[in-house]
Amino acid sequence: MGARAVLLALLLALSAQGRRFLAADAAVGVNWGTLSSHRVPPSVVVDLMRANRIGKVKLFDADPTVLRALPGSGIQVMVGITNDALAVIAGSAAAADAWVAQNVSRYVGRGGVDIRYIAVGNEPFLTSYQGQFQSYVIPAMMNIQQSLVRANLANYVKLVVPCNADAYQSASVPSQGVFRVELTQIMTQLAAFLSSSGAPFVVNIYPFLSLYQSSDFPQDYAFFEGSTHPVVDGPNTYYNAFDGNFDTLVSALSKIGYGQLPIAIGEVGWPTDGASSANLTAARAFNQGLINRVMNNKGTPLRPGVPPADVYLFSLFDEEQKSILPGNFERHWGIFSFDGQAKYPLNLGLGNPVLKNAKEVPYLPSRWCIANPAQNLDSVANHLKLACSLADCTRLYYGGSCNGIGENGNVSYAFNSYYQQQKQDAKSCNFDGLGMITYLDPSMDDCHFLVGIDDSRSSAVSSCGCGACCMRMPAYACLVNQ
C-alpha cells in the first residue's frame, strides 16, 4: 500500500472519532527545555509548575529523567520526537512501535504520566534545513499513529507537528497568507490528518524576532497595547504582530480548505537579556499582554472570540548552553531564571497573581570566583576567552544587564561563570593566579553573579529547548540536533 493510500485509510479511520474545530477554552502552558549545566532536579521543577498551577508542559524529547518526575502530577504533557529520529521512524513501523513503547506506553496509565500529545519533529520545515526533514514528516506521523492504534492509545494521545512561522508567508497583509509553495501538498496532508484526529495545528510565533531583525519594525507593534503603525487589511485592522502572524496562518489554512482548524501556539515569549530590546520590562509587558488576550477570549480579526487552542510560553527556564548563533538573547527566554526564581511579576491567569519561586533548590555553597585585586590583569585575555567559550558570558555584551560593570567586573563575572559551571572546582578559579575565591557576593546593581546548582543527585539529560535555537528566522541554522 502506497503512502497516500495509507494516509487515506488512516484519515477515514480517524474521521470516525469525529471532527473538532475552533477549540473554545485556551490554556497557558510552558516549554521545558534542559540545555543547561545548572539543571534544577526534575522533581523540584514539577513542584514549581504545580505551585504555579501550570497544567500543561511541552517537552522537546522524551527524556526519561523528566518523565519519571511527572506521574500523578496532573500536568498534561507533550513529548517530542527529535528531527534526527524522523527518518528511521518514517521508514520502519517497528521503529515507530519501539518509540511508542519506550516513550509513551511505559509511562501512561492510572497514576502515570498524562501524555496528551506527541510532537512529530520540531520545526522540521524550517527554511534553513533546506528540506532535509521534509519528506519524513507525514510517513513518520502515519507510522506513529498506527503504533498508537496498536497500543490502544490513539483515542487519547494526539499527534502534532510544531511549525515555524516561516512555513507560511504573505506579500503584505494577513489575508494574502499562503504556505510556501514547496510545502503546500505536505501542509494539506498534515491539515487533513489533524482535522480528522481532532488535533490542532501547532505554530511558533515570535514578535521579538521581527523587532530584533529589523530596525524599521515598529516597536509598539510587537506588543499588545495598540500601535501607531497598524496594518489595515480590508475591513480588518491589526494593532499587533501576533494577531497579524496568527491570521496569516489562518488565511494559509483557508486556502488549502482548512480555515477552521484549531491552532495552538507551541512557542511564544520574550527574552530578558542579551539584546537592547530584551529586558525585564519588555518581557513582562509582552507576556502579560499575551496572557490577558488569551484569557479574555478576544481572538483575532479572522477568528473573533476564539483564542488559540493552547499557548505554551517559551520558556520555563533560562538555558545557558543554547547556541548564541541567533543572538545572545537566546539563553535568556525563561520566565524563571535557571534556578527557578521568578524574574518578574506575571499573572498566568491560572489562579496565582504572581509567579511562585522554586523551593528546595540544591545550590552549591555560597562562594564565588573573582579577579584577584592584587594581580595585574594585562594577561587576562586568553583566560577570558577560555572561560567564555565554555560558560555563559552573554550578559556582559552590548544589550546585556552586566554590560556596564567595568573591566574588573567583566573579568570577575566571566571567571565566576566558569567556576560555577565547573561545580566550584577550586582549580577552575586559578587562571594562573589571576582568580581568587570569595565568600562575599560580588553582585552589583542588576548584575547578579550566580551560584550554581548541585545536581550530583540528579542525572537529567539535556534536551533541546529549541526556541530560537532551531531558528524561527530562515537564515539561522540550529547547532544542536532537535
Side-chain angles (χ1 to χ4, degrees):
M1 185 181 292
R4 290 188 180 182
V6 173
L7 178 61
L8 178 60
L10 270 176
L11 292 178
L12 290 173
L14 290 168
S15 293
Q17 300 173 14
R19 298 160 65 94
R20 181 180 69 179
F21 295 103
L22 293 183
D25 297 321
V28 174
V30 294
N31 285 268
W32 177 6
T34 55
L35 282 177
S36 175
S37 60
H38 307 292
R39 290 192 290 273
V40 176
S43 60
V44 175
V45 178
V46 171
D47 288 344
L48 173 67
M49 289 191 289
R50 294 185 67 184
N52 286 284
R53 302 186 182 183
I54 296 170
K56 294 174 181 282
V57 66
K58 178 170 165 281
L59 309 176
F60 293 92
D61 54 16
D63 181 345
T65 309
V66 170
L67 288 172
R68 284 197 294 267
L70 285 162
S73 65
I75 298 171
Q76 297 178 10
V77 181
M78 181 188 298
V79 295
I81 298 173
T82 57
N83 287 344
D84 55 7
L86 292 176
V88 173
I89 291 174
S92 168
D97 285 346
W99 194 94
V100 169
Q102 172 92 15
N103 300 299
V104 182
S105 300
R106 67 187 295 190
Y107 296 109
V108 299
R110 185 181 297 275
V113 183
D114 189 6
I115 297 176
R116 297 293 184 97
Y117 292 104
I118 299 172
V120 182
N122 191 60
E123 299 184 331
F125 308 119
L126 197 65
T127 307
S128 59
Y129 288 147
Q130 299 181 324
Q132 72 179 103
F133 304 115
Q134 199 166 298
S135 63
Y136 303 132
V137 175
I138 299 300
M141 286 190 76
M142 291 191 292
N143 280 346
I144 291 291
Q145 180 66 29
Q146 291 171 325
S147 297
L148 290 173
V149 170
R150 287 190 284 272
N152 294 318
L153 293 172
N155 288 329
Y156 191 75
V157 181
K158 305 296 183 182
L159 304 184
V160 295
V161 179
C163 292
N164 183 283
D166 81 344
Y168 49 93
Q169 54 201 3
S170 170
S172 58
V173 292
S175 62
Q176 295 183 14
V178 293
F179 287 109
R180 296 198 326 253
V181 173
E182 71 273 22
L183 294 180
T184 302
Q185 181 178 358
I186 292 175
M187 287 300 177
T188 303
Q189 293 174 325
L190 173 60
F193 185 98
L194 298 172
S195 174
S196 295
S197 65
F201 189 103
V202 177
V203 64
N204 301 339
I205 296 178
Y206 283 93
F208 168 81
L209 295 179
S210 299
L211 180 62
Y212 180 79
Q213 259 186 307
S214 173
S215 58
D216 296 328
F217 191 89
Q219 181 161 335
D220 59 1
Y221 192 64
F223 297 90
F224 295 92
E225 301 303 318
S227 174
T228 56
H229 299 79
V231 173
V232 178
D233 184 6
N236 297 319
T237 301
Y238 292 87
Y239 293 96
N240 67 79
F242 180 88
D243 286 1
N245 196 314
F246 189 97
D247 276 3
T248 302
L249 173 58
V250 172
S251 296
L253 287 168
S254 296
K255 290 180 177 65
I256 61 172
Y258 291 92
Q260 298 299 305
L261 190 66
I263 296 172
I265 309 302
E267 296 176 23
V268 62
W270 199 280
T272 58
D273 217 320
S276 58
S277 53
N279 54 69
L280 296 174
T281 301
R284 181 186 183 189
F286 178 84
N287 283 331
Q288 194 64 71
L290 172 71
I291 292 166
N292 291 346
R293 286 180 63 84
V294 169
M295 292 303 175
N296 290 338
N297 295 328
K298 188 168 184 178
T300 62
L302 292 186
R303 289 190 173 178
V306 181
D310 287 311
V311 174
Y312 294 89
L313 294 179
F314 192 86
S315 63
L316 189 59
F317 299 124
D318 285 349
E319 298 170 77
E320 98 291 342
Q321 290 188 334
K322 292 188 67 181
S323 164
I324 57 172
L325 180 62
N328 291 326
F329 59 82
E330 208 27 46
R331 296 176 175 176
H332 304 281
W333 289 95
I335 57 175
F336 293 93
S337 55
F338 74 94
D339 54 353
Q341 306 308 298
K343 293 183 183 178
Y344 48 85
L346 186 65
N347 186 340
L348 297 175
L350 303 172
N352 293 333
V354 294
L355 296 176
K356 295 185 177 181
N357 294 330
K359 297 181 178 179
E360 299 182 10
V361 178
Y363 292 103
L364 293 168
S366 295
R367 56 188 177 219
W368 298 262
C369 177
I370 61 172
N372 189 334
Q375 297 295 323
N376 186 303
L377 297 179
D378 289 347
S379 60
V380 79
N382 287 335
H383 297 295
L384 278 179
K385 184 176 180 181
L386 168 67
C388 292
S389 68
L390 296 173
D392 179 38
C393 295
T394 54
R395 298 179 73 198
L396 294 176
Y397 305 129
Y398 176 74
S401 58
C402 295
N403 179 244
I405 61 175
E407 180 182 0
N408 283 5
N410 289 342
V411 173
S412 292
Y413 186 92
F415 280 7
N416 184 65
S417 294
Y418 179 74
Y419 174 67
Q420 303 296 339
Q421 195 251 6
Q422 296 296 313
K423 307 303 177 188
Q424 297 186 355
D425 182 344
K427 296 177 182 177
S428 68
C429 187
N430 186 284
F431 297 106
D432 288 339
L434 298 181
M436 63 173 283
I437 294 171
T438 179
Y439 295 88
L440 298 175
D441 186 350
S443 300
M444 53 191 84
D445 298 326
D446 293 330
C447 182
H448 176 66
F449 281 56
L450 66 90
V451 172
I453 289 174
D454 181 2
D455 56 3
S456 59
R457 290 167 292 176
S458 172
S459 57
V461 218
S462 291
S463 64
C464 187
C466 178
C469 144
C470 298
M471 278 330 332
R472 281 107 11 192
M473 291 186 282
Y476 295 152
C478 189
L479 295 186
V480 287
N481 289 328
Q482 301 303 317

